[in-house]
Amino acid sequence: MSHRSLSRRPEAPVPVIFYFFGAFLIFFLTLPVNGWRPWPNQKPNATELLYGGSKKYEGSSEFVHLKYHMGPVLTANITVYPIWYGRWGNSQKRIIRDFISSFSAVDSKHPSVAGWWKTVQLYTDQTGANISRTVHLGEEKNDRFYSHGKSLTRLSVQSVIKSAVTARTRPLPLNPKTGVYLLLTSDDVYVQDFCQNVCGFHYFTFPSIVGYTLPYAWVGNSAKLCPGTCAYPFSVPSYMPGFKAVKSPNNDVGVDGMISVIAHEIAEVSTNPLVNAWYAGQDPSFPVEIADLCEGIYGTGGGGSYTGQMLNGEDGATYNMNGVRRRFLVQWVWNHILNYCSGPNALDQ
């Protein structure tokens, strides 16, 4: 409030609509551009859940300044090397394998995971070369005896990867140029910051720990720890009364929830593998990347807690993309050419 003295002569009243417009403009200009997820430390009331959050409506914003910072991107054929940490069922592994194989399955029924990957392919390096259209499922490593315990830090995540590439028997190949090392932790493993503000992350290994600089991603199974956060909308947290969980397409809430996070991290590690390529913001330590901008958006009209328009199967399952042998629910990613979040199930495609 201003401290200037009030005039004795009453001023003409300002129309209420002016106050509304001014308040709306201030609100709009200060909207966060990050996507939405029901984090436990941000428990809004029911009205905010319905009408608040990051009201981007598919993320379109002239205030998003995603820039290319001249670093490398993954332009050659990408190979994903899964590391199964902890206890994993065969059916769970098949879901994730089929999803990774779906990236390049161009014959999949529309809308498809391969169609989703086409948006990621739009990103280029400084020579104009695009992200590779080919994503292979590479060799795998099992770490079923929890070699580094059931509680991992971000640094010990790198130690798990070191164990996988230096194992005495069947080590994973070293592929620093086109490899993505995907560490998947089972539902009884806690990783630093898991469920509080991350469901997955990506970075690159430090030569001082692993011996090489390898792009990697970690994604955890949240089924026991926080399904309402990291497997949303297949599970809904208790502080969201009135919201009903949807049926997962592969009958595994934890793994079906991981699918979108895996997609998120592979999209970002491909466009920003060494954290010096495509991101928004001034601080590379906390970059806002192409999937961050659209987290929680799965269809047309998405924004805030509203996922957007998704598809429903005859079995009642909810999904938005088809892939190899299966259906999946995958978040959209930022299209820097159109300047909004994009996905193959958009109603205008």
Side-chain angles (χ1 to χ4, degrees):
M1 179 180 291
S2 171
H3 294 286
R4 62 187 178 182
S5 61
L6 296 174
S7 168
R8 291 183 179 180
R9 183 167 64 95
E11 297 179 355
V14 180
V16 173
I17 192 170
F18 176 80
Y19 285 122
F20 174 80
F21 178 77
F24 174 79
L25 185 62
I26 292 171
F27 171 75
F28 180 76
L29 291 176
T30 56
L31 275 177
V33 295
N34 274 3
W36 186 90
R37 190 176 281 278
W39 298 115
N41 59 345
Q42 299 172 353
K43 297 181 181 179
N45 60 41
T47 301
E48 289 173 326
L49 285 168
L50 285 170
Y51 304 112
S54 55
K55 271 190 188 170
K56 299 184 308 323
Y57 303 108
E58 299 175 57
S60 178
S61 175
E62 61 186 286
F63 303 104
V64 173
H65 299 294
L66 188 76
K67 294 181 180 179
Y68 176 52
H69 298 266
M70 305 305 288
V73 301
L74 302 186
T75 57
N77 292 353
I78 299 166
T79 303
V80 179
Y81 301 102
I83 301 170
W84 306 97
Y85 192 85
R87 297 182 180 180
W88 289 93
N90 289 331
S91 62
Q92 295 178 314
K93 289 183 177 181
R94 283 194 294 268
I95 294 169
I96 294 175
R97 288 178 185 135
D98 285 350
F99 177 64
I100 295 171
S101 299
S102 298
F103 282 52
S104 299
V106 294
D107 294 330
S108 297
K109 180 182 176 182
H110 176 80
S112 68
V113 175
W116 170 86
W117 185 247
K118 286 182 179 179
T119 299
V120 181
Q121 289 177 242
L122 294 173
Y123 290 85
T124 60
D125 65 11
Q126 56 187 302
T127 70
N130 293 81
I131 300 290
S132 174
R133 64 173 291 183
T134 304
V135 179
H136 294 296
L137 178 64
E139 296 171 51
E140 305 176 22
K141 191 67 179 174
N142 290 300
D143 194 333
R144 62 177 62 90
F145 298 114
Y146 310 90
S147 65
H148 292 75
K150 291 188 177 183
S151 182
L152 303 175
T153 65
R154 289 186 179 236
L155 287 181
S156 60
V157 160
Q158 297 199 24
S159 296
V160 174
I161 295 171
K162 178 183 179 179
S163 296
V165 298
T166 60
R168 291 184 178 180
T169 58
R170 304 175 70 178
L172 291 181
L174 292 167
N175 185 359
K177 297 295 185 183
T178 65
V180 174
Y181 294 80
L182 180 61
L183 176 60
L184 304 164
T185 51
S186 57
D187 60 12
D188 56 348
V189 176
Y190 176 76
V191 175
Q192 182 180 350
D193 299 322
F194 191 22
C195 299
Q196 299 305 310
N197 51 37
V198 297
C199 300
F201 57 73
H202 78 91
Y203 208 61
F204 53 87
T205 61
F206 302 148
S208 59
I209 297 177
V210 180
Y212 306 89
T213 301
L214 304 173
Y216 75 90
W218 158 75
V219 179
N221 186 335
S222 67
K224 292 180 180 178
L225 296 173
C226 59
T229 298
C230 291
Y232 180 87
F234 302 127
S235 180
V236 175
S238 59
Y239 55 83
M240 290 177 63
F243 282 71
K244 185 178 179 181
V246 300
K247 182 181 178 182
S248 67
N250 297 291
N251 298 307
D252 190 312
V253 167
V255 174
D256 274 318
M258 292 178 73
I259 291 300
S260 190
V261 186
I262 291 171
H264 179 125
E265 300 305 335
I266 291 180
E268 291 185 343
V269 79
S270 299
T271 54
N272 198 26
L274 302 181
V275 201
N276 61 358
W278 288 96
Y279 64 88
Q282 302 301 316
D283 187 354
S285 300
F286 299 97
V288 178
E289 301 173 275
I290 71 166
D292 296 327
L293 292 164
C294 307
E295 187 167 21
I297 297 176
Y298 299 90
T300 298
S305 61
Y306 177 51
T307 57
Q309 296 194 42
M310 303 178 292
L311 304 173
N312 291 309
E314 293 181 358
D315 58 352
T318 296
Y319 67 103
N320 65 346
M321 298 178 200
N322 297 290
V324 174
R325 287 182 288 273
R326 300 174 188 275
R327 302 161 299 175
F328 303 101
L329 185 66
V330 180
Q331 69 152 91
W332 287 8
V333 291
W334 187 259
N335 184 320
H336 68 300
I337 295 174
L338 300 176
N339 210 36
Y340 57 74
C341 297
S342 181
N345 58 309
L347 295 182
D348 59 355
Q349 291 191 6

